[in-house]
């Protein structure tokens, strides 16, 4: 079965991280987010991956090329991000026979994608506590009987998880009218398939929709948590690596460093001397954790640097970010309330008691900067030496 993977979106809610890197290419453990989706499809036996690309399309195409893990990859370019059904319709020429559609910014448990393929026509669902915020499936016995967006009175607690196996007839049904929010949405195609076919719900054990910056952190918590200890890099005898720590070939861990796994230190990265790295941290290619710095449960993207005597917790640093010496990130409020973050101009709860800062590519802090919890630093933003920063910039 061919798998159409949607990766054309602009990722507006995850800005500034998506300012130049498209969301599907943001780092999750040792590969881009969308590579995990594609891995699940390949493991389930997909015979071709059709990637729908648009926003910053070349970054995606350059990474995957014409073949990924022995499976051919083709591309459909969606020039205007007019909705998920519109995205699949862009790939129409590539589709023949039954086909799967997967969101390129979702993490699925791989076993479920396997079942999705075998049970076609089928749809992945996840049991949630608050279905009102999701597309919700109604079911009868082992069949899906309907799908309704954000219902006031949800028929089940089964949320649509954005993974579908469609019969070949669905190829003819991809042109759907604009929805209330002005997009051509895949749920309208799903509704037609449900009307005309017996559709099986496939329940996921675990699922994550990566829309906002803290969900990128959660994606890394998930995938770094699955790593098994492997030390291939240059690690000092005086460093102490505990648990499932991966140090890739070409990475350097200097004397006096303590790493508590799970953690991933990628090729070209340097940690220490005397640094402390803990809790599902990614130190991506070329990134640096300096002398006596502490990094906890954070993503340091490619070539980001946390200089000596700094603390970074529960934070996401984009590419080439430079935190000057003594930069301190606060990740907890005195009143213990959940940390809020600005998404598309509005403060929203992250649902996390601990959350630090999100710094766009190339942001720089002056020495001894103090950064408040839930702070956003835009791409290229700077702070002054000794500054206390409690407003986004
Ligand atoms: P969304 O999460 O709705 O959109 P997005 O990823 O652009 O993010 P944001 O809402 O923050 O701007 O999209 C779900 C998936 O579908 C995601 O993988 C992107 C993809 N997509 C397309 O490929 N084309 C489109 O026109 C749209 C709307 C989404």
């Amino acid at each position: 079965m061919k798998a159409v993977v949607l990766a054309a979106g602009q990722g507006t809610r995850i800005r500034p991280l998506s300012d130049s890197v498209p969301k599907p290419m943001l780092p999750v453990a040792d590969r881009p987010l969308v590579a995990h989706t594609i891995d699940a499809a390949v493991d389930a036996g997909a015979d071709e991956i059709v990637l729908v690309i648009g926003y910053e399309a070349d970054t995606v195409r350059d990474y995957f090329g014409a073949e990924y893990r022995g499976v051919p990859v083709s591309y459909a370019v969606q020039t205007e991000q007019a909705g998920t059904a519109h995205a699949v319709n862009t790939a129409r020429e590539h589709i023949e026979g039954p086909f799967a559609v997967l969101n390129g910014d979702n993490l699925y448990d791989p076993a479920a994608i396997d079942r999705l393929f075998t049970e076609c026509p089928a749809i992945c669902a996840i049991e949630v506590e608050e279905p009102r915020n999701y597309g919700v499936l109604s079911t009868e016995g082992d069949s899906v009987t309907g799908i309704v967006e954000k219902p006031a009175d949800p028929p089940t607690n089964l949320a649509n998880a954005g993974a579908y196996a469609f019969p070949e007839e669905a190829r003819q049904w991809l042109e759907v009218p604009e929805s209330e929010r002005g997009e051509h949405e895949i749920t309208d195609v799903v509704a037609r398939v449900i009307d005309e076919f017996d559709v099986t719900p496939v329940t996921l054990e675990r699922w994550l929709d990566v829309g906002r910056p803290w969900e990128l952190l959660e994606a890394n918590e998930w995938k770094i948590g699955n790593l098994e200890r492997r030390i291939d890099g240059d690690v000092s005898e005086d460093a102490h690596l505990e648990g499932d720590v991966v140090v890739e070939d070409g990475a350097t861990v200097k004397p006096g460093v303590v790493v508590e796994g799970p953690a991933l230190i990628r090729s070209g990265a340097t940690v220490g001397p005397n640094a402390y790295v803990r809790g599902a941290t990614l130190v991506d290619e070329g990134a640096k954790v300096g002398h006596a710095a502490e990094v906890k449960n954070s993503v340091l993207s490619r070539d980001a640097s946390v200089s000596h005597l700094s603390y970074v917790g529960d934070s996401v640093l984009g590419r080439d970010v430079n935190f000057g010496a003594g930069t301190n990130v606060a990740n907890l409020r005195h009143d213990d309330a959940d940390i809020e973050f600005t998404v598309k101009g509005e403060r929203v709860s992250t649902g996390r008691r601990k959350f630090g800062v999100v710094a766009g590519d190339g942001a720089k802090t002056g020495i001894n900067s103090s950064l408040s919890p839930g702070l956003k630093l835009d791409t290229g933003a700077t702070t002054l030496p000794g500054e206390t920063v409690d407003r986004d910039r």
Side-chain angles (χ1 to χ4, degrees), residues 77-222:
V77 180
Q78 187 194 24
T79 46
E80 181 201 359
Q81 278 69 61
T84 42
H86 182 267
V88 184
N89 199 28
T90 310
R92 197 184 164 121
E93 296 309 314
H94 299 253
I95 297 171
E96 60 196 13
F99 60 102
V101 175
L102 305 173
N103 279 344
D105 58 355
N106 285 192
L107 294 181
Y108 306 98
D109 75 77
I113 299 302
D114 203 59
R115 268 184 292 136
L116 178 77
F117 279 34
T118 14
E119 301 281 351
C120 178
I123 173 168
C124 280
I126 180 98
E127 285 183 21
V128 292
E129 277 174 19
E130 192 36 273
R132 285 177 190 83
N133 301 329
Y134 298 85
V136 179
L137 307 184
S138 39
T139 55
E140 234 176 72
D142 207 16
S143 291
V144 182
T145 50
I147 180 164
V148 48
E149 266 316 300
K150 301 190 175 152
D153 187 15
T156 64
N157 62 351
L158 289 176
N160 173 14
Y164 319 95
F166 288 134
E168 65 177 315
E169 287 79 353
R171 183 177 178 277
Q172 309 306 323
W173 304 336
L174 297 171
E175 274 173 39
V176 293
E178 251 180 34
S179 67
E180 267 175 24
R181 53 172 192 174
E183 291 187 5
H184 303 272
E185 310 211 27
I186 193 78
T187 40
D188 288 332
V189 181
V190 175
R192 173 116 191 233
V193 175
I194 292 170
D195 274 352
E196 308 214 11
F197 285 84
D198 189 11
V199 175
T200 306
V202 171
T203 312
L204 293 157
E205 295 288 318
R206 195 170 179 185
W207 172 73
L208 181 65
D209 180 16
V210 179
R212 299 161 301 179
W214 59 94
E215 286 152 354
L216 186 70
L217 208 51
E218 285 164 22
N220 276 280
E221 286 164 2
W222 177 348

Side-chain angles (χ1 to χ4, degrees), residues 207-338:
W207 172 73
L208 181 65
D209 180 16
V210 179
R212 299 161 301 179
W214 59 94
E215 286 152 354
L216 186 70
L217 208 51
E218 285 164 22
N220 276 280
E221 286 164 2
W222 177 348
K223 293 297 170 179
I224 291 174
N226 286 352
L227 297 174
E228 284 177 13
R229 186 179 174 92
R230 180 166 54 84
I231 311 296
D232 293 334
D234 181 9
V235 177
S236 162
E237 279 180 14
D238 295 325
H240 182 70
L241 310 184
E242 253 174 54
D244 286 320
V245 175
V246 174
V247 181
E248 288 185 354
D249 187 25
T252 307
V253 178
K254 294 186 176 175
V257 168
V258 174
V259 184
E260 288 167 6
L264 170 58
I265 299 166
R266 299 212 60 203
S267 183
T270 308
V271 178
N274 303 317
Y276 183 23
V277 173
R278 62 193 173 101
T281 286
L282 167 64
V283 185
D284 209 343
E285 290 172 344
K288 197 174 157 214
V289 180
H291 164 66
E294 177 176 351
V295 179
K296 177 231 155 189
N297 195 233
S298 293
V299 171
L300 271 50
S301 302
R302 198 180 296 174
D303 299 319
S305 177
V306 174
S307 305
H308 47 285
L309 303 165
S310 296
Y311 172 75
V312 173
D314 305 284
S315 296
V316 183
L317 276 52
R319 293 181 181 185
D320 296 305
V321 165
N322 194 319
F323 276 7
T327 295
N328 267 305
V329 169
N331 58 348
L332 183 65
R333 293 169 52 111
H334 284 318
D335 62 5
D336 251 357
D338 285 348

